[in-house]
Amino acid sequence: MPLARTEPPARRRGRPSTAQAALLEEHVLATATTLFLERGFGRTTLDLVAQQAAVGKSGLYARYPNKGALFTAVVDRSIQTMFNDMQAVHNDPDIGQRLQRVGEGLVEGMLHPRCVALMRITAAEAENFPNLALSAYEVSFKGAVRQVLRALGVQDRVDADVEQIRLAERFVEIAVQPLSFQAAFGVDATLLRLRASACVRDAVRLLQAARTLDTPEV
């Protein structure tokens, strides 16, 4: 079933305002997302995106000079949408419970059909566009790490120490990535969701144990 297409924002004479420009860019990215998911990377062109989005080719090429740049923006938008949709971490004094909620939220976001489909497209194009694949991976990984750092009580990565970053990265690698990679290879997302809580719980226990082992004796 084709994905729903968005309508372009109403055009007005003169230079568009910042809000209008943002709406137009969102419309272009939504249209491009639909086309990439329906047609894949190879069969989607900038000209087709411009046609389907009803925008000028010159403006589109000025913003996205090539298809790789547009696809990177589509992936970034999808990942940021996933993070924005996650429920805020409650101020629970139990850090284990905070990590559990964040881990389950990240897994649920990564298992969204849109995210799985874009991950498959990225992997399929990794040989031809290695920088594209690496960029998509880094945006996803760093964003997930940022969410875990917040569960650890750090609002921004620049405020985290080396140990906190290490723990957050290991948590994502243990609790989130294995399930998202399995989904990309075709494992039923329903089954993966059933396993998510236990997988995240195991990761929380491993990190708590690691923090205990790393604590020097007084």
Side-chain angles (χ1 to χ4, degrees):
M1 180 179 178
L3 296 176
R5 301 186 185 276
T6 62
E7 292 295 328
R11 294 175 180 267
R12 294 183 180 179
R13 292 184 178 181
R15 188 172 182 176
S17 66
T18 301
Q20 290 170 337
L23 285 174
L24 182 59
E25 183 171 8
E26 174 64 20
H27 168 66
V28 168
L29 291 179
T31 302
T33 300
T34 298
L35 290 171
F36 279 124
L37 293 179
E38 289 182 350
R39 301 170 63 90
F41 186 86
R43 295 175 58 223
T44 299
T45 65
L46 286 174
D47 285 358
L48 181 60
V49 172
Q51 177 186 348
Q52 294 293 315
V55 297
K57 292 181 182 180
S58 59
L60 182 64
Y61 277 90
R63 182 70 179 85
Y64 306 105
N66 54 60
K67 184 165 60 173
L70 178 58
F71 185 75
T72 298
V74 164
V75 173
D76 288 353
R77 171 182 177 271
S78 177
I79 293 171
Q80 291 306 318
T81 297
M82 179 192 76
F83 291 142
N84 292 339
D85 289 344
M86 286 183 60
Q87 293 183 354
V89 178
H90 298 293
N91 190 24
D92 193 315
D94 187 338
I95 190 172
Q97 290 299 319
R98 296 203 304 268
L99 286 171
Q100 183 73 29
R101 284 195 298 273
V102 167
E104 291 178 1
L106 287 171
V107 170
E108 181 62 30
M110 294 293 184
L111 295 182
H112 189 286
R114 180 189 63 248
C115 287
V116 174
L118 289 174
M119 186 161 50
R120 289 172 177 167
I121 294 173
T122 303
E125 298 297 333
E127 184 174 354
N128 296 324
F129 302 93
N131 291 336
L132 178 71
L134 181 60
S135 174
Y137 172 80
E138 288 179 343
V139 169
S140 175
F141 182 69
K142 290 179 179 179
V145 169
R146 186 165 55 249
Q147 295 293 325
V148 177
L149 285 173
R150 289 174 180 172
L152 293 174
V154 182
Q155 291 304 309
D156 196 286
R157 187 185 180 101
V158 296
D159 299 323
D161 58 38
V162 174
E163 176 63 11
Q164 289 171 322
I165 293 175
R166 183 182 73 86
L167 287 173
E169 291 177 342
R170 289 300 294 145
F171 183 83
V172 173
E173 292 167 348
I174 295 171
V176 181
Q177 287 186 333
L179 294 177
S180 65
F181 291 160
Q182 289 176 52
F185 279 99
V187 178
D188 189 341
T190 300
L191 297 177
L192 295 176
R193 287 189 178 92
L194 293 175
R195 294 175 48 205
S197 292
C199 290
V200 173
R201 191 176 305 113
D202 288 344
V204 172
R205 290 170 178 169
L206 284 172
L207 290 194
Q208 288 177 328
R211 294 186 73 181
T212 302
L213 292 174
D214 289 343
T215 301
E217 295 184 2
V218 179

